[in-house]
Amino acid sequence: MDGNFTFSIIKPNAVRTGKTGPILAMINEAGFEIAAMKMVKMTVEQAESFYAVHKGKSFFESLIEFMTSGPVFVMILKHDNAVEEFRKLIGATDPNKAEPGTIRKIFAISVQMNAVHGSDSDENAQKEADFFFSTFERFLI
Ligand code: IDP
Ligand code: MG
């Protein structure tokens, strides 16, 4: 059965430029409920651990620098079939390839500064949610 939650990050470029509100509005309008949310500034160690799967890739170091460059909003979002539905809402990693009307198409500045993160599987949604939130910080799920 598909999971009912996913994990998301509003990335530093979007927070810095005041896009948190508009992005949250799109998330709510698409029917996602916020089950947990907080603002954090990731340490280099946290970002390296969160993105460990990309270690060794050409963009890894600059991705870590970017993701630790300012505060982000981390969230758990509730929805039926949440992982797949949220990936549809945010669009492709590269905003040039993202569908019109998707969050990345609207708010990304580049492939790296693509405004939002969304988990790619139920297993990773669970891991990523557990990475940032204790059980006392989440509701609805
Ligand atoms: P995803 O966020 O759509 O799942 P991933 O391939 O998992 O995409 O990459 C994680 C993040 O790393 C992307 O969201 C983006 O910020 C960054 N990234 C991915 N590929 C590139 C690249 O080719 N150049 C620069 N940054 C990249
Ligand atoms: Mg990914």
Side-chain angles (χ1 to χ4, degrees), residues 3 7 15 18 23 32 38 42 51 54 62 66 72 78 82 87 94-95 103-104 118 123 125-126 129-130 133-134:
F7 173 82
V15 175
I23 289 171
F32 291 84
K38 62 187 170 187
M42 277 193 250
Y51 281 118
H54 296 298
S62 73
F66 164 56
V72 299
K78 189 181 172 207
R87 297 283 298 200
D94 179 350
I103 293 177
R104 283 170 165 171
E123 190 190 351
Q126 184 74 57
D130 292 346
F133 293 102
S134 75

Side-chain angles (χ1 to χ4, degrees), residues 3 5-6 81-88 119-122 125:
F5 72 91
T6 189
N81 195 17
V83 165
E84 196 183 329
E85 289 302 314
F86 193 67
R87 297 283 298 200
K88 264 191 243 164
S119 306
D120 63 5
S121 66
D122 290 341

